[in-house]
């Protein structure tokens, strides 16, 4: 099964559209969203083409393919307009032989991990910075942000088929961290 992993859309219809175009081009089976779907949050500037109502329409149109966890900017009112579950603090998914614990990163993160099994992957968004760090008990990964990248990173997402690959959401090209 091919997975696409993205985080931190923050209501940008421009980057949500690009992300969904990449999802279609990747021919992925599932899209794992790591939270912060509609609202930009008080610490972020408005992203390009901020239009949460349009993002709602776009995401609802692919609801059968989505697995999502709650971000710090996601609320109960967001769940009222989205036709797929977004309120879980974390999800556990199997990607190939890897057990992946997916969470937004504002509660559980690299410095405060979920109690994951040894050798598992902890997948977080929240920081808007793509990362791969191998710790003694787990591997930490972050796809970065679709719409508001930080620390000079790219607008990015990840793909998992046989391995994890980071990609630029604008060009679709892979890059190394």
């Amino acid at each position: 099964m091919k997975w696409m992993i993205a985080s931190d859309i923050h209501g940008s219809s421009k980057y949500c559209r690009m992300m969904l175009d990449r999802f279609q081009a990747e021919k992925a089976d599932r899209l794992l969203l790591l939270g912060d779907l509609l609202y930009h949050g008080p610490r972020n500037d408005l992203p390009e083409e901020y239009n949460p109502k349009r993002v709602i329409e776009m995401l609802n149109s692919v609801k059968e393919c989505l697995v999502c966890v709650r971000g710090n900017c996601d609320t109960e009112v967001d769940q009222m307009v989205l036709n797929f579950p977004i309120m879980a603090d974390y999800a556990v998914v199997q990607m190939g032989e890897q057990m992946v614990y997916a969470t937004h990163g504002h509660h559980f993160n690299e410095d405060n991990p979920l109690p994951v099994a040894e050798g598992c992957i902890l997948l977080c968004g929240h920081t808007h910075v793509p990362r791969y760090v191998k710790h003694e008990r787990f591997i930490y990964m972050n796809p970065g942000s679709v719409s508001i990248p930080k620390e000079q990173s790219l607008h990015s997402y990840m793909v998992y088929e046989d391995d994890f690959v980071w990609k630029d959401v604008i060009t679709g090209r892979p890059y190394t961290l």
Side-chain angles (χ1 to χ4, degrees):
M1 177 181 288
K2 186 172 185 179
W3 288 82
M4 183 170 158
I5 303 147
S7 190
D8 297 283
I9 301 166
H10 288 291
S12 172
S13 61
K14 174 182 179 174
Y15 289 106
C16 185
R17 183 174 42 258
M18 285 184 184
M19 176 192 73
L20 293 177
D21 287 347
R22 294 289 165 221
F23 179 66
Q24 185 175 24
E26 294 284 356
K27 296 181 172 58
D29 300 292
R30 294 279 182 267
L31 176 54
L32 174 58
L33 296 175
L34 300 176
D36 285 359
L37 305 179
L38 303 178
Y39 179 56
H40 63 89
R43 295 181 303 186
N44 297 311
D45 292 331
L46 283 174
E48 285 185 71
E49 295 182 30
Y50 182 68
N51 188 343
K53 288 183 178 180
R54 182 68 188 118
V55 172
I56 292 164
E57 292 172 16
M58 288 187 275
L59 293 177
N60 281 340
S61 75
V62 295
K63 64 184 177 186
E64 299 82 17
C65 304
L66 298 178
V67 175
C68 188
V69 296
R70 179 183 190 166
N72 59 301
C73 294
D74 299 323
T75 68
E76 288 84 1
V77 73
D78 300 334
Q79 183 63 83
M80 294 170 69
V81 295
L82 293 167
N83 297 329
F84 54 93
I86 69 162
M87 299 305 290
D89 286 329
Y90 64 91
V92 181
V93 295
Q94 188 79 28
M95 293 187 184
E97 297 298 313
Q98 290 288 333
M99 185 66 72
V100 176
Y101 293 79
T103 189
H104 181 62
H106 62 297
H107 291 301
F108 301 109
N109 50 53
E110 184 177 12
D111 297 324
N112 183 39
L114 284 159
V116 300
E118 190 163 341
C120 287
I121 293 171
L122 178 61
L123 191 56
C124 299
H126 186 61
T127 65
H128 300 218
V129 180
R131 297 226 355 171
Y132 173 97
V133 180
K134 188 167 185 168
H135 290 273
E136 186 176 321
R137 290 193 39 82
F138 66 96
I139 297 170
Y140 170 79
M141 292 186 199
N142 190 315
S145 174
V146 169
S147 69
I148 308 172
K150 295 185 178 176
E151 296 182 13
Q152 288 88 42
S153 62
L154 300 172
H155 296 266
S156 59
Y157 66 98
M158 293 167 61
V159 172
Y160 174 83
E161 195 163 23
D162 298 319
D163 200 5
F164 289 91
V165 177
W166 282 257
K167 293 191 174 186
D168 181 334
V169 80
I170 296 170
T171 67
R173 291 190 198 116
Y175 66 94
T176 53
L177 300 180

